[in-house]
Amino acid sequence: MQIRRAGEADWPGIWAMLEPVFRAGETYAVARDISEAAARTMWFEAPAACFVAEEGGTLLGTYYVKTNQAGGGAHVCNCGYVTAAAAQGRGVARAMCEHSQNAARELGYKAMQFNLVLESNEGAVRLWERLGFETVGRIPRVFEHPSLGLVDARVMYKWL
């Protein structure tokens, strides 16, 4: 597996991974009917960097790195990760998170914060903990899950 900076030609494959995740409404606080153009801005154009994981020319996952807060908080980044459905369970998310920490350091960030890790996303919670992220806060009933109703979320943080 290779992880590299995303290019213009990668967008259709990135959107093919993002769209079903966003439409499902189970993990990201994104409007389920988000347009492709708005998703492109959010994931590909606005962040400091967007990356893809690929193997043999097939995209396995994507992530972005962006500044979490402006001004005095600009040394902390935020990332979002999506693994292609066909690649789940193959260590893609782990590889992307490890890669993102190095990429964040290279971009000048000193820490990484995940603002909304849903308790219902148990795999992500376990993985981020294994990779050294601490839960620094919990937000009760912050996310309306389409089948579980209101679920809690964690704020997770790691000094890089």
Side-chain angles (χ1 to χ4, degrees):
M1 174 181 3
Q2 173 194 10
I3 300 176
R4 61 170 174 77
R5 206 138 183 175
E8 187 66 35
D10 295 312
W11 174 251
I14 293 170
W15 177 238
M17 288 184 280
L18 297 180
E19 185 177 22
V21 171
F22 292 166
R23 299 288 181 250
E26 296 176 344
T27 54
Y28 276 90
V30 172
R32 291 175 73 179
D33 63 350
I34 189 171
S35 69
E36 181 179 354
R40 179 185 170 96
T41 298
M42 179 196 94
W43 197 274
F44 186 74
E45 295 171 353
C50 178
F51 293 84
V52 291
E54 70 174 348
E55 188 173 72
T58 300
L59 294 185
L60 306 177
T62 180
Y63 79 86
Y64 66 76
V65 180
K66 68 179 183 179
T67 304
N68 197 48
Q69 301 292 332
H75 64 285
V76 179
C77 71
N78 172 261
C79 295
Y81 310 87
V82 168
T83 300
Q88 291 185 1
R90 295 179 44 195
V92 176
R94 179 184 193 95
M96 289 192 300
C97 186
E98 289 171 340
H99 187 275
S100 71
Q101 292 174 61
N102 291 325
R105 284 185 202 96
E106 290 173 10
L107 289 165
Y109 295 107
K110 294 178 173 52
M112 188 174 286
Q113 179 176 316
F114 301 150
N115 300 317
L116 202 72
V117 182
L118 303 180
E119 290 290 349
S120 57
N121 194 351
E122 295 170 0
V125 170
R126 280 192 310 273
L127 179 58
W128 305 153
E129 286 178 335
R130 282 195 301 264
L131 292 175
F133 287 82
E134 296 178 61
T135 297
V136 296
R138 293 180 191 270
I139 310 166
R141 300 172 304 281
V142 70
F143 185 87
E144 191 164 356
H145 191 281
S147 61
L148 301 175
L150 296 175
V151 298
D152 297 353
R154 298 175 184 217
V155 177
M156 299 183 82
Y157 180 88
K158 182 176 182 180
W159 187 255
L160 300 173

